[in-house]
């Protein structure tokens, strides 16, 4: 069964520090997609990134970067020079498909609450 | 504006009184899904739909029903709500890209309390 583990329940950092949010996943499939979403205190869910299991290149978007390591089944997310606006709950998610697309479950981790202290 | 709408946003009801939470998207997405969010448990998928008349169970389907008669709508039905269904519910939609769900767009959430 697919599973996503975000072992860090809560993290607090001081503004301008770098922080890494961990995500470890389990799947039987060789092809799958991984996602990160952000949920700020206002409650909406905001997409951050989608990554194919065959693409192990790291990705950088501004202060955000993602490190995908298939060998360790991890898809970690780093925020560089954190800001107060980064305070949110961050979710990692896994999408699998089987049976020619007839099965399309999405599994989320339990989330990591990040607090950035001014 | 591309969006997913849910109604109602807040609902307080009593055990056993049937209710429906509506979900509608205007992006012509094939995939729609319902999640519940509970403290410490993250988001758990209740049901999803690959297209009209095609639905399947997620991880926590017990006590819920869905239907997909039109592409844009995906209502969540609680036939006999119980207190353990008190939760924050999100509807989401996405395209299917390369045979997999693409970025999901989420509704604003429905906070349900069952007394």
């Amino acid at each position: 069964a697919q599973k996503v583990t975000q072992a860090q329940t809560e993290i607090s950092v001081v503004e301008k520090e770098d922080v890494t949010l961990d995500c470890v996943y389990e799947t039987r499939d060789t092809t799958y997609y991984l996602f990160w979403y952000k949920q700020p205190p206002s409650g909406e869910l905001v997409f951050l990134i989608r990554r194919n299991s065959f693409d192990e290149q790291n990705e950088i978007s501004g202060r955000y970067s993602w490190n995908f390591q298939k060998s360790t089944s991890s898809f970690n997310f780093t925020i560089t020079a954190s800001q107060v606006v980064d305070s949110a709950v961050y979710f990692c998610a896994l999408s699998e498909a089987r049976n020619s697309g007839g099965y399309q479950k999405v599994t989320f981790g339990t989330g990591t609450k990040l607090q950035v202290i001014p | 504006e591309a969006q997913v709408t849910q109604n109602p946003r807040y609902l307080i009801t009593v055990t056993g009184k049937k209710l429906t939470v509506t979900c509608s998207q205007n992006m012509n997405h094939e995939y729609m899904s319902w999640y519940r969010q509970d403290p410490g448990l993250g988001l758990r998928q209740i049901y999803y739909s690959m297209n009209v008349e095609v639905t399947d169970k997620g991880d926590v389907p017990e006590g819920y029903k869905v239907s997909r008669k039109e592409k844009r709508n995906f209502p969540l039905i609680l036939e006999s709500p119980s207190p353990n269904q008190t939760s924050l519910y999100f509807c989401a939609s996405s395209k299917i890209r390369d045979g997999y769900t693409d970025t999901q767009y989420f509704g604003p959430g429905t906070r349900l309390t069952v007394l």
Side-chain angles (χ1 to χ4, degrees), chain A residues 103-105, chain B residues 31-33 45 47-49 55-57 74:
Chain A
Y103 169 96
Q104 272 283 1
K105 282 183 70 174
Chain B
Y31 188 88
M32 295 187 76
S33 181
Q45 194 171 41
Y47 270 95
Y48 63 91
S49 169
T55 62
D56 205 351
K57 296 176 182 178
F74 190 46

Side-chain angles (χ1 to χ4, degrees), chain B residues 39-98:
Chain B
L41 297 177
L43 282 89
R44 293 179 292 167
Q45 194 171 41
I46 303 171
Y47 270 95
Y48 63 91
S49 169
M50 296 288 292
N51 215 321
V52 175
E53 303 292 359
V54 181
T55 62
D56 205 351
K57 296 176 182 178
D59 290 322
V60 288
E62 293 76 21
Y64 304 95
K65 281 177 57 175
V66 292
S67 68
R68 187 96 182 268
K69 294 185 170 57
E70 305 164 285
K71 198 170 186 179
R72 64 182 293 125
N73 296 324
F74 190 46
L76 179 69
I77 303 155
L78 285 72
E79 296 263 359
S80 184
S82 62
N84 65 11
Q85 292 178 298
T86 292
S87 187
L88 178 59
Y89 291 85
F90 285 99
C91 179
S93 74
S94 75
K95 288 182 118 16
I96 298 292
R97 179 158 64 111
D98 305 323

Side-chain angles (χ1 to χ4, degrees), chain B residues 27-43:
Chain B
M27 296 168 278
N28 201 36
H29 286 166
E30 300 90 352
Y31 188 88
M32 295 187 76
S33 181
W34 277 102
Y35 299 88
R36 59 178 290 175
Q37 183 177 8
D38 302 289
L41 297 177
L43 282 89

Side-chain angles (χ1 to χ4, degrees), chain A residues 22-76:
Chain A
D22 298 332
C23 173
V24 174
Y25 61 91
E26 294 176 28
T27 176
R28 296 180 294 173
D29 291 356
T30 54
T31 303
Y32 48 89
Y33 281 80
L34 296 162
F35 299 81
W36 276 92
Y37 289 89
K38 174 182 179 179
Q39 187 176 42
S42 50
E44 73 272 21
L45 282 149
V46 179
F47 165 80
L48 295 176
I49 190 170
R50 178 187 194 246
R51 174 51 54 88
N52 181 305
S53 56
F54 292 110
D55 182 1
E56 290 196 67
Q57 276 193 326
N58 290 335
E59 177 142 350
I60 299 174
S61 176
R63 296 184 296 107
Y64 295 171
S65 62
W66 290 269
N67 179 255
F68 176 35
Q69 294 203 343
K70 210 166 177 177
S71 59
T72 56
S73 297
S74 65
F75 187 42
N76 297 335

Side-chain angles (χ1 to χ4, degrees), chain A residues 4-11 20-25 36 76 90 92 109-113:
Chain A
V4 176
T5 301
Q6 295 180 257
Q8 304 151 307
T9 307
E10 290 193 41
I11 302 175
T20 295
L21 309 183
D22 298 332
C23 173
V24 174
Y25 61 91
W36 276 92
N76 297 335
Y90 290 87
C92 181
T110 52
T112 297
K113 183 175 182 180

